[in-house]
Amino acid sequence: MSTDRRVAPLNRLLATLPRRDSQRLLAACEAVTLKFGEILCEPDERIGHVYFPTDSFVSLMIPVDATSSLEVGLVGNEGMVGSPLILGVNVSPLRALVQGAGPAWRMTAAAFARELGRCPALRRTLNRYLQVQMHQLAQTAACTRYHVVEARLARWLLMTQDRAHMDGFHVTHEFLAYMLGVRRVGVTKAANALQKRKLIHYHRGEVMILDRAGMEAASCACYRLDRQSYESAFAAA
């Protein structure tokens, strides 16, 4: 991770705050550049910082056993990493793994606790975000249990596109299998099926989404429900 004071964009959570509150919050942050594969926190370890991604995104993963994990959430510029601190809990149950490199705002846990105590608007915003995260975690659990790999892959690629802010990005079959908790052959079959339908182009780890509407139709309903949960929670913010 490197520090870069030139990064300026706000993420969507910070953008909902009154200007005075957001300026004070940013004054307590430092601008950093997250690196692909960087681990921001580990399960059962003390949370040292919170992160507000601006043009980066982070996978939230639950360890399944000694050698494997499952992705249960994806955080981009719509959210934050370190949400247990909102509840006064300083240990995370999840691993936070940088999946999309790029800029973010970082704040120490101590500074975050102070701002949370002095800024009612921040607490209201983050309480809404906790509601969204709870919904999305439950949605992901149901999706993993009941939906076929092709629909789950379409959902994951759409979620990644939303946070990468571009139609093309790099991801390997091995990494997709790891994220979705399935065997590599299952991901290969699902990706080939989407490619045959001309929804994506995939070659040597480079994915290009060709038909956004078609991908949304190919995805399970979980993708739409995730977006609705966020928009509903912040509609009156």
Side-chain angles (χ1 to χ4, degrees):
M1 181 191 303
S2 61
T3 300
D4 182 357
R5 286 283 176 183
R6 293 172 299 173
V7 66
L10 287 177
N11 82 349
R12 291 178 66 187
L13 285 181
L14 301 184
T16 67
L17 297 175
R19 183 175 179 82
R20 178 187 299 179
D21 292 330
S22 66
Q23 288 180 336
R24 188 179 67 247
L25 193 73
L26 288 174
C29 291
E30 62 177 332
V32 297
T33 300
L34 305 181
K35 298 179 181 179
F36 175 79
E38 184 176 2
I39 296 176
L40 303 182
C41 67
E42 287 277 18
D44 302 322
E45 291 186 0
R46 191 180 186 89
I47 301 171
H49 295 87
V50 298
Y51 297 83
F52 297 93
T54 56
D55 199 19
S56 54
F57 51 101
V58 179
S59 289
L60 302 180
M61 308 173 69
I62 183 77
V64 177
D65 53 38
T67 59
S68 60
S69 300
L70 177 68
E71 184 184 81
V72 295
L74 192 61
V75 179
N77 73 330
E78 84 294 342
M80 66 169 283
V81 176
S83 56
L85 291 173
I86 302 170
L87 300 173
V89 178
N90 62 10
V91 173
S92 173
L94 304 173
R95 174 179 296 122
L97 173 70
V98 178
Q99 183 181 299
W105 294 107
R106 181 176 69 180
M107 175 185 285
T108 66
F112 178 74
R114 288 195 298 270
E115 289 302 321
L116 203 59
R118 70 187 295 187
C119 182
L122 177 63
R123 180 168 289 280
R124 286 194 300 270
T125 293
L126 296 183
N127 283 345
R128 291 189 183 101
Y129 181 62
L130 277 180
Q131 176 190 343
V132 172
Q133 274 204 321
M134 290 172 62
H135 176 273
Q136 292 180 348
L137 287 170
Q139 197 72 50
T140 296
C143 185
T144 302
R145 172 63 180 84
Y146 289 107
H147 295 152
V148 299
V149 176
E150 183 178 332
R152 290 173 57 205
L153 176 59
R155 176 198 182 203
W156 190 92
L157 292 175
L158 287 168
M159 290 169 61
T160 302
Q161 183 189 30
D162 289 345
R163 291 158 177 83
H165 309 298
M166 59 183 66
D167 294 336
F169 42 88
H170 181 83
V171 62
T172 65
H173 281 194
E174 289 83 0
F175 190 75
L176 285 170
Y178 187 62
M179 291 294 100
L180 297 175
V182 299
R183 294 193 303 165
R184 185 182 185 280
V185 65
V187 170
T188 299
K189 290 173 64 175
N192 286 341
L194 294 174
Q195 186 155 249
K196 286 179 181 178
R197 294 167 61 182
K198 301 187 185 314
L199 302 179
I200 65 170
H201 176 72
Y202 186 92
H203 182 65
R204 296 190 177 184
E206 298 299 328
V207 178
M208 177 69 68
I209 294 182
L210 303 176
D211 182 349
R212 172 81 188 191
M215 284 288 283
E216 291 188 15
S219 172
C220 55
C222 299
Y223 173 72
R224 174 177 52 81
L225 293 172
D226 281 347
R227 289 177 63 92
Q228 284 181 351
S229 71
Y230 191 96
E231 299 303 332
S232 295
F234 287 93

